[in-house]
Amino acid sequence: VPTDVFARYSDAVVEFIYPDNYTPLVEKPGKDVQHSLRLKAPYRQDCFITFDVRPAKGLALDKVVEQNTKNVKAAKQPATLGGEKAVYINESPIKNIDRRTYYIVKNDKFYRVIITYYTPMKKDFLPAFEKTVASLRLK
């Protein structure tokens, strides 16, 4: 379960606070991925936050969301993250696992933030994850 004590993460791309019992891991970027980071829980492997950055290729937010959610039936919701206009969707990819994915476009980059958590423990994980996402600042 995330602690009530938060640490600060900052790199050249993003800054945010996170539960201090989580570990920020910079992952090797893949094809088209310019930056990738995962906040992992100490024990529950199904509760984490993923952050990645890709080229937007001149596309506006609505087009990026459309391309990335064309096979998703979930409703798209407006949001603001780090002062930037965003869109998010909630979905359940498998039983007892919920996921919320945020999409942001800034400076011709497409930012995606994904929070994934064990549904029966939603009240334990979601508030801390939402606090982390709310603290997000894009550089």
Side-chain angles (χ1 to χ4, degrees):
V1 174
T3 66
D4 292 333
V5 177
F6 282 73
R8 179 164 303 282
Y9 178 86
S10 183
D11 65 22
V13 178
V14 66
E15 180 178 315
F16 54 84
I17 60 172
Y18 65 95
D20 75 344
N21 62 332
Y22 275 58
T23 304
L25 301 169
V26 176
E27 298 180 333
K28 183 178 177 183
K31 182 183 176 190
D32 286 343
V33 176
Q34 298 171 337
H35 185 73
S36 184
L37 172 74
R38 180 171 287 208
L39 287 171
K40 292 183 72 168
Y43 300 107
R44 289 211 64 96
Q45 298 303 304
D46 54 4
C47 298
F48 55 89
I49 300 175
T50 303
F51 174 83
D52 60 31
V53 182
R54 302 163 189 260
K57 300 179 182 176
L59 297 175
L61 177 60
D62 60 334
K63 291 296 182 186
V64 167
V65 172
E66 181 182 313
Q67 284 185 355
N68 284 275
T69 61
K70 60 186 169 196
N71 296 322
V72 178
K73 305 279 189 242
K76 295 157 189 73
Q77 304 292 324
T80 302
L81 289 180
E84 302 295 328
K85 182 179 173 185
V87 172
Y88 74 89
I89 61 165
N90 289 312
E91 60 184 324
S92 184
I94 59 175
K95 183 180 180 182
N96 288 328
I97 300 295
D98 280 347
R99 177 184 303 151
R100 180 178 298 164
T101 305
Y102 293 89
Y103 301 92
I104 308 161
V105 173
K106 179 181 179 180
N107 298 331
D108 201 33
K109 292 184 178 165
F110 152 42
Y111 298 84
R112 187 174 63 168
V113 181
I114 306 166
I115 58 176
T116 305
Y117 55 91
Y118 181 57
T119 310
M121 295 179 73
K122 178 178 181 172
K123 67 176 180 52
D124 296 315
F125 287 93
L126 191 57
F129 286 3
E130 287 176 331
K131 185 172 181 176
T132 296
V133 171
S135 73
L136 185 72
R137 299 290 174 255
L138 305 177
K139 295 182 180 178

